[in-house]
Amino acid sequence: MPKDFSRPVFRPSETFDRLFESEDPAEVSRAAHATATTLLARVRSEADPDAVERLISFAAVNGIDDIAHLWSRSPAKSLPGALWRMYLIQLSIHDDPQTAALLYERGRVELSSTDPIVAGAPVPAGPAELVALIDTILRGAFTGDFAVALDRAAAFCRVQASGSTHLADDYEGTEPERATTLTNRASRLAAFADELAMASRLWRRGDLI
């Protein structure tokens, strides 16, 4: 493993924990579903590479607040909820690719499942490779099989959750606060994995709206 990965750089977890107040919940819900459905349908019908790339880079260039205002309070079993989770995962990787790569590589080594294969990262995967991977997965949501993109994102989260769990065990005896941070991150990633996998199943049945 490259030397840069020897020690993770931890940043505040607000990327995963942000909550945004809204106006009328029913109105926000309607707007979330309408924008997600329209956006996905329009991008798929127009097949404009430039439009796709603008969507892929939107959070990195403009921040997550605009997307959050529309989609962050949508349930996991909805289209806007699934897209929100994918953008949030992307932002977390772009924000701290070195830690993401450390967690992913540790998880890949520890897991005996097919999740690393489904996620599709090279072996080993460094920070640049993981940034490229999560962008590819998000691109697939707009241009390919949406269920496959969700499954890949879920697998990605499971690999990282495994890595975070095992690193938490490593630090438990010497740095308990860091261990707690990693344990919390593992829990959030595992929850995202379950939610994205559920969204994939719903999409295949035509029930993700």
Side-chain angles (χ1 to χ4, degrees):
M1 189 182 298
K3 207 170 182 182
D4 290 15
F5 296 178
S6 60
R7 196 171 187 81
V9 178
F10 293 103
R11 299 189 180 186
S13 61
E14 64 265 22
T15 299
F16 280 96
D17 297 334
R18 290 177 181 172
L19 295 175
F20 294 82
E21 294 186 2
S22 63
E23 299 78 25
D24 179 3
E27 184 63 29
V28 171
S29 178
R30 284 192 292 271
H33 285 78
T35 54
T37 301
T38 302
L39 179 64
L40 192 62
R42 183 171 180 177
V43 172
R44 286 173 175 271
S45 64
E46 292 184 356
D48 181 352
D50 290 337
V52 172
E53 293 311 309
R54 285 195 296 271
L55 284 172
I56 301 307
S57 62
F58 185 88
V61 173
N62 301 287
I64 201 72
D65 288 4
D66 289 337
I67 297 172
H69 184 72
L70 285 174
W71 295 341
S72 66
R73 303 190 68 173
S74 299
K77 58 182 180 181
S78 70
L79 179 58
L83 286 170
W84 161 246
R85 283 157 178 76
M86 294 184 77
Y87 269 110
L88 197 54
I89 293 163
Q90 184 207 34
L91 184 62
S92 73
I93 305 306
H94 278 252
D95 187 56
D96 189 1
Q98 286 195 327
T99 297
L102 174 70
L103 298 181
Y104 190 91
E105 183 62 16
R106 181 62 182 274
R108 182 190 69 79
V109 171
E110 298 289 351
L111 276 177
S112 57
S113 70
T114 60
D115 286 321
I117 298 172
V118 173
V123 178
E129 287 80 11
L130 279 198
V131 168
L133 173 65
I134 200 62
D135 287 355
T136 296
I137 291 173
L138 186 58
R139 186 177 295 108
F142 291 109
T143 63
D145 187 321
F146 192 67
V148 170
L150 291 170
D151 285 334
R152 292 186 69 186
F156 183 91
C157 287
R158 282 191 290 268
V159 176
Q160 282 218 309
S162 172
S164 193
T165 297
H166 284 90
L167 278 175
D169 291 341
D170 293 345
Y171 285 116
E172 185 62 42
T174 57
E175 299 181 58
E177 289 186 5
R178 180 166 286 182
T180 298
T181 298
L182 284 162
T183 299
N184 291 338
R185 183 165 184 166
S187 178
R188 289 191 293 270
L189 286 163
F192 269 36
D194 290 344
E195 291 164 351
L196 290 165
M198 177 183 64
S200 175
R201 292 191 295 271
L202 290 171
W203 177 266
R204 287 188 166 95
R205 297 204 305 259
D207 293 333
L208 188 70
I209 58 175

